Amino acid sequence: MEKPSNLLLKLSRRLFENPNIQEEFIQALINPQPFSPCILWCQSRPDISPFSVETPTNWQPQFVDRLLLGEKPGKHPLHDQGNFYCLDFSSVFAATTLLAISQSINLIFDMCAAPGGKSIFAWKALQPDLLISNEVIGKRLGMLISNLKRCQIKPSFVANRDSSIFAEAIPLSSDLVLVDAPCTGQSLLAKGETAPGCFHPTNINKCANRQKRIIANSAQIVAPQGYLAYMTCTYSPEENEEVCEWFLQRFPQFQPVPISHLQEYQSHLIEIPSYRLFPQDRLGAGAFTVLFKNTEEGEPKQVDEDIYRQLGFRSIS
């Protein structure tokens, strides 16, 4: 993009009152600058790091390193050996809501899992008895399976089904459900990539409606006292705060969880605890994240292994 479109200008005014911040946001998208690479250590970190590392943020988990610009971790032998997973630091930001969960976790279900970064983060942070990573788009399934196998994420299953099927087949079963929702992908521009039509109202509304359907189905498989983590990599309020408002109106048993280590990133567009990272912060391309808790009482429903087989789950081994 050589100059901002009218739709981008309009979005910037909706997101920020301050004209200077509006301009910083716009420039981050039309003149993207490289972000520091980031790795999540799946296995034990070597005593001597093979990379030059940036000073950690106060919300950065111990098993994540943000590297200096110019480092190329994907070409290191430890990557192929599965010692670490490369991901955008914005993804780390979004997933750090999970660090607020103190209870033991039996089952984690990642509804929109490919390529696998959030699944791997959740597995590393919470050490569940079982991780289920679902990806509805068949052509993305290969990369998910490959990453989980390479990083030795087990015990884990991979699935390839629509969210509505799980809502019916395994209700109230999962201690944590992740919804890294399909979105317009506006933050891709901050990485120098393309996202055609990402600011167009038709695309935004289409994504928002899909997000509402997925989060509604996902809520139904959250166990009593379990958690639902919702996140996107886009900026439009329709895909973020407005989805949360819609969700809480229809599922009042869920309550947003304040995340103390992200308080300085509280969204100024809504009062409920929800958090945004913007590209002008120079940490990552951008993210929105919120953690909900199911306040209902009761025990999780146990899932018979025959159900897993009927749903076509594949074991990662």
Side-chain angles (χ1 to χ4, degrees), residues 94-134:
T96 57
T97 59
L98 306 185
L99 302 179
I101 299 175
S102 58
Q103 68 198 55
S104 61
I105 297 295
N106 174 41
L107 175 59
I108 294 176
F109 195 108
D110 189 349
M111 188 62 75
C112 313
K118 305 297 195 315
S119 283
I120 293 171
F121 186 106
W123 174 85
K124 181 68 177 181
L126 299 173
Q127 295 294 296
D129 295 331
L130 178 64
L131 168 70
I132 299 174
S133 299
N134 178 65

Side-chain angles (χ1 to χ4, degrees), residues 191-204:
K191 301 180 190 180
E193 301 178 31
T194 59
C198 65
F199 300 118
H200 197 283
T202 300
N203 276 348
I204 291 171

Side-chain angles (χ1 to χ4, degrees), residues 1 26-35 88 185-196 235 279 282 284-286:
M1 298 174 63
I26 291 168
Q27 289 301 317
L29 299 190
I30 65 174
N31 295 306
Q33 303 299 312
F35 295 102
D88 188 287
Q186 294 162 352
S187 69
L188 290 173
L189 300 181
K191 301 180 190 180
E193 301 178 31
T194 59
Y235 313 124
R282 296 305 311 145

